[in-house]
């Protein structure tokens, strides 16, 4: 997947909290997923373990169920 410069910055911003707000279909879930992969690979200050990560994402369809 090709990422925009803003998406790349979000993926590489691993040493601070980050809130991602964007329109539908803009790739938010993909960016969040890739950011988690980067954190687990140890691309930040320290390698994250799965227990270190909390991520929330939802769609209108998922919220309706």
């Amino acid at each position: 997947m090709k990422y925009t410069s803003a998406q790349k910055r979000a993926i590489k911003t691993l040493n601070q909290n980050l809130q991602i707000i964007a329109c539908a279909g803009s790739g938010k879930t993909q960016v969040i997923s890739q950011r988690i992969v980067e954190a687990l690979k140890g691309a930040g200050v320290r390698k994250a373990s799965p227990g270190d990560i909390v991520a929330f994402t939802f769609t209108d369809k998922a919220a309706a169920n």
Side-chain angles (χ1 to χ4, degrees):
M1 178 173 184
K2 290 186 178 181
Y3 296 106
T4 66
S5 60
Q7 289 172 322
K8 289 176 187 176
R9 278 194 317 272
I11 291 168
K12 297 296 182 184
T13 302
L14 298 172
N15 300 320
Q16 63 188 50
N17 294 330
L18 185 66
Q19 183 179 31
I20 298 173
I21 301 172
C23 64
S26 61
K28 294 178 299 294
T29 300
Q30 179 63 35
V31 167
I32 292 167
S33 299
Q34 191 59 43
R35 188 170 185 248
I36 291 169
V37 168
E38 292 293 315
L40 292 171
K41 287 189 332 189
V45 171
R46 67 176 181 86
K47 184 177 178 180
S49 68
D52 294 332
I53 297 172
V54 177
F56 295 93
T57 184
F58 67 92
T59 64
D60 287 339
K61 290 179 186 177
N65 290 329

